[in-house]
Structure formats: structure tokens, C-alpha cells
Amino acid sequence: MGDIPADTPAIVYPEDSYFGEVLRNIPTSLGKAGSGANSFIVSAFSSGTRELVLKGLGVGWIPFSMAYREIESGDLISLATRYGQEALQVVVYANQNEEIAQSLMKIWAKER
């Protein structure tokens, strides 16, 4: 895969957003503010970035969990092999008194 041309519209995260901070700490230019000649900043929400990418307005960094269906269908292409990927740490809060939360905690405990 070739490089993305410098004038390709890039949808990036604000530097002070969560994903802006995550991307600042990894060796990739994709998704970072000021990383391209033709970048513009959307909100800090990856759902907004996803929608703009799906509309064909530019390239952007989206968590795989938000784009895997579109990647499988061919509506989006993944640039992860070229630009890398970043593991995200996710924290889930749940009411332990709820039956579904108890079931999920049992499943997650088995996977450790």
C-alpha cells in the first residue's frame, strides 16, 4: 500500500481529547492534529469521525470496534497494516445487582 497523498483530507482529533492524547503517544501521523497538509478537526467523538469517513470526506483513525462491519463489507479499508494500531484500555462500570452484569462478570472472569 502506498502513502496517503499529503493533500488527502484528514479527519483528526483535537490534541486535548482522549484519542488525541492516545495518538500523540504512538508513532503514527494518522489521526493527529497537524499531521497532514489538509487536515481539519472534528469533535473529540470517534462516532463523528466514523460518519465523516463513511461519507468519503477524508481518512481518519477509528477504533476497530466501530468499523469492523464496514471493513468486512468493503465499505471501508483498514490502514492498520501501514500505519499501525493501538490497543485501548477499556473500563466498564456496571451495577453488580443486575443479573446481566453478573453474567458478564462471570464470562469475563473466565477469560483471564
Side-chain angles (χ1 to χ4, degrees):
M1 174 185 295
D3 288 328
I4 298 171
D7 62 345
T8 300
I11 302 161
V12 299
Y13 295 96
E15 288 185 34
D16 61 346
S17 69
Y18 173 73
F19 284 128
E21 290 180 14
V22 167
L23 295 172
R24 182 178 15 189
N25 295 319
I26 61 174
T28 182
S29 61
L30 192 61
K32 293 180 181 180
S35 61
N38 196 15
S39 64
F40 64 94
I41 295 177
V42 67
S43 74
F45 298 105
S46 51
S47 59
T49 300
R50 177 184 173 274
E51 291 304 314
L52 292 170
V53 169
L54 282 170
K55 297 289 185 201
L57 297 176
V59 297
W61 187 90
I62 306 169
F64 180 76
S65 62
M66 294 183 73
Y68 71 92
R69 287 188 183 115
E70 290 81 2
I71 292 170
E72 288 178 357
S73 73
D75 290 338
L76 291 178
I77 60 167
S78 174
L79 300 173
T81 57
R82 177 79 172 145
Y83 291 96
Q85 50 191 330
E86 181 64 18
L88 298 177
Q89 184 176 26
V90 178
V91 178
V92 178
Y93 296 92
N95 182 343
Q96 294 182 2
N97 297 323
E98 294 292 327
E99 184 178 340
I100 193 164
Q102 293 171 4
S103 297
L104 287 171
M105 286 188 287
K106 288 177 186 175
I107 291 169
W108 292 331
K110 289 179 188 176
E111 292 181 3
R112 287 185 177 177

